[in-house]
Amino acid sequence: MKGHSKHMLIGGGVIFAALLIAGVDVGNAGVWALLLVCPLMMVGMMWMMSRGHAGHGGHGDTQGRPDTDVRDRDGALEHQQH
């Protein structure tokens, strides 16, 4: 099973179990688990992605590299020295 599908099933099971513990009946807990697993996994994924890039300066960071070739607005190559 692929990683994403496995995580979706685990997340859905956790939501389902939490709803059952909270006293929701099985039918409604299943429906709510299916409806909530996708948006909650998306929030978790976005949080993990933002946490992974914290303090790294983003994609355009060239700090620490001596020389880099970059393109200007018109697409022409420029050579920058840091």
Side-chain angles (χ1 to χ4, degrees), residues 14-15 64:
V14 168
I15 293 169

Side-chain angles (χ1 to χ4, degrees), residues 30-77:
V31 170
W32 280 108
L34 288 174
L35 290 174
L36 290 175
V37 71
C38 187
L40 290 177
M41 291 297 284
M42 180 63 74
V43 168
M45 182 178 63
M46 297 301 285
W47 178 75
M48 293 293 283
M49 288 175 59
S50 69
R51 188 179 72 157
H53 292 291
H56 293 291
H59 295 285
D61 186 20
T62 58
Q63 189 175 13
R65 290 186 249 161
D67 295 353
T68 22
D69 289 331
V70 294
R71 296 194 179 270
D72 66 7
R73 285 180 154 184
D74 299 322
L77 279 176

Side-chain angles (χ1 to χ4, degrees), residues 6-21 29 33-34 37:
K6 181 172 68 172
H7 289 123
M8 292 290 281
L9 286 174
I10 292 170
V14 168
I15 293 169
F16 182 73
L19 289 170
L20 288 178
I21 291 170
L34 288 174
V37 71

